[in-house]
Amino acid sequence: MTRLDPIIAVNDIKASAKWYEQIFGFKNAHGGKDFATLKSEDDEIILCLHKWGEYRHPSLIDQSIKPGNGLIKTH
């Protein structure tokens, strides 16, 4: 079975990861100032958070790129 690891671009990794931990009970398995991997209780990757402008992904660098490019944009 193929699993998806959605990526959400955010301005504040630490605050965003903490929100997902509190609301959904996810665990931050890889945290830092530019990237976080959030996992479920059974250790499945559920969500990845990337900081805007990092990792050279065009849609993570240019916030003016329209939604629908496979990336959820949050502020």
Side-chain angles (χ1 to χ4, degrees), residues 13-75:
I13 295 293
K14 189 174 184 177
S16 296
K18 186 174 182 177
W19 186 84
Y20 283 100
E21 291 170 6
Q22 292 173 339
I23 299 298
F24 297 107
F26 297 153
K27 299 178 288 184
N28 190 350
H30 173 82
K33 64 181 183 96
D34 299 331
F35 181 78
T37 302
L38 301 171
K39 292 187 175 185
S40 66
E41 288 180 5
D42 60 347
D43 217 31
E44 178 183 349
I45 294 174
I46 300 296
L47 181 63
C48 298
L49 304 175
H50 281 260
K51 183 167 177 62
W52 279 110
E54 300 298 325
Y55 300 103
R56 295 192 175 131
H57 298 300
S59 55
L60 290 175
I61 293 170
D62 184 356
Q63 293 188 34
S64 70
I65 294 175
K66 292 182 181 181
N69 58 18
L71 178 75
I72 298 171
K73 182 163 101 170
T74 64
H75 295 279

Side-chain angles (χ1 to χ4, degrees), residues 5 53 67:
D5 297 335

